[in-house]
Amino acid sequence: MIKFLISNNSLYVFTKKSLVNNVFISLFSLSVIALLSGCVKGGNTASPASVATITTNSFIANLTSTTAQSGGIITSNGGANILNAGVCYSSSNQTPTTANSFTIDTLSFDNAGTKTFTSKITSLLPSTTYYLRAYATNSAGTAYGNVVKFTTSATIGSITSTVSTLAGSVGGGYANGTGTGALFSNPQSVVTDAAGNVYVADGFNNVIRKITPGGVVTTYAGDGNAGYTNGPAATAEFYAPQGLGIDKQGDIFVADLGNSRIRKISAAGIVTTYAGNGIRGYVNGADTVAEFNYPQGVCVDANGVVYVADRDNNVIRKINTAGVVSTFAGYYGEIGLYNATGTAAVFNSPNDVAVDSKGNVYVADLKNYCIRKITSAGVVTTLLGGSIQTTLIGTPVAVYVDTNDNLYIADETGRIIEFTTTNNIVYILAGTSNIYGYQDGAGTSALFNNPQGVAVDAQGNVYVADYSNNVIRKIVTNL
């Protein structure tokens, strides 16, 4: 038999054979004793905290001559509570710290526990270049994100915009007429032509409407019945038309969601099927062979190539001028947020597409809460937002590119956003996030109700398909 005695931090081992001979073992020299002691106490010592992991927003919002807005995302707190978070900035230090100017901001949380914050910066100097990065402090120290560089405006003291109702009435319905005398039923998308006319995918009425610059509304194509018929515009049939695109000849392309087809309305007023055989599925190939699964958005580049946000297939499709459909980007069968080239990239319910003068395609990646960019070579990156909803981007449901390659985004939480690609600045043009209603007026005092489509004319006027208000809104800005 063996007996143990622990006394004065030492272990004595005695055997029945001899109580004289014993073995002395120091508790400090054997790790096994520490293990035994730990078992007795029933737990292990917690790992020490480390600094947080943080990313700076890649863009600056609402930049004027003296103010700016930024923020960050904390993906790990390092095992300790975040004590302070915000952004630090300087016009002289290119790697600013909290020894320079800084903000302290309130954290927001998503369902996975990721923390985000928005920083409002004031008292900046006009025409001055600043360096900015996010920071987060816990008990282990302060972590910093990537540095973002921006230059304040020389003249813009504030962003101004005025929202009015171009056409439609909140009650909804189906009627042609002028201004608020016309009626729509859940308008889904808008696009403009060179003459300033606005075309509307009037989803629940199963027609395409036309609005002149003077606000006169007519039915451009469709007889109002949910169906599938090609031919003259007046007798053609659509089924829940969604996205619209237009080429330089004035031909309009329609993402005909209920028919799982891409339709074309020629400038002469003839409706044809451009691609898709009507079967919900995923097949590439010639126009009548190809299959789509709830195509939601569509756009056309300068060469006549059509791009489609094939929402339920989670891919971006490409239709060349010969009508052959291929997958431009996205991994069929996978859902998530992964940047790569071509079919190695992953999307989550891509809802709309737009293309710039250089052939870059932009995607409103709805359930990833971000705008993705696809180069003409198929390289996919995340331009704005991320896998979680942020207060600066919200839920981007539609995207449009103007003649200067600036992006306009419909945030279905109630805002219209502009992103200037030359300097990576985000402007909130109108509306307020998560405040829904119907109100014309200036900037953020105006209210939308689930805006689903956005377009811009040659003069820079912005048009919005205000889905749940059943109206088309017009925004005039000073940008």
Side-chain angles (χ1 to χ4, degrees), residues 275-424:
N277 61 15
I279 300 173
R280 286 181 57 197
Y282 176 69
V283 176
N284 288 319
D287 49 6
T288 56
V289 173
E291 294 177 2
F292 300 88
N293 193 355
Y294 287 145
Q296 184 75 33
V298 64
C299 67
V300 191
D301 72 12
N303 299 313
V305 175
V306 177
Y307 297 91
V308 179
D310 194 2
R311 188 189 67 191
D312 282 16
N313 280 328
N314 290 294
V315 296
I316 307 303
R317 311 290 283 279
K318 177 179 179 179
I319 311 173
N320 67 17
T321 54
V324 178
V325 178
S326 59
T327 300
F328 184 53
Y331 194 132
Y332 169 68
E334 294 291 329
I335 297 174
L337 175 57
Y338 183 71
N339 291 320
T341 299
T343 56
V346 181
F347 297 87
N348 191 353
S349 295
N351 205 71
D352 197 18
V353 284
V355 61
D356 68 15
S357 62
K358 302 176 183 64
N360 299 303
V361 176
Y362 301 90
V363 181
D365 196 0
L366 180 64
K367 292 186 179 179
N368 278 326
Y369 304 105
C370 65
I371 301 297
R372 313 284 287 279
K373 178 181 178 180
I374 313 173
T375 68
S376 57
V379 179
V380 180
T381 55
T382 300
L383 183 66
L384 296 170
S387 59
I388 61 173
Q389 186 186 61
T390 66
T391 55
L392 288 178
I393 296 301
T395 306
V397 69
V399 61
Y400 195 89
V401 177
D402 69 10
T403 54
N404 296 315
D405 288 344
N406 296 314
L407 271 62
Y408 295 79
I409 301 161
D411 168 16
E412 68 178 1
T413 69
R415 299 178 302 172
I416 305 303
I417 299 167
E418 180 181 355
F419 176 68
T420 57
T421 55
T422 54
N423 54 8
N424 291 340

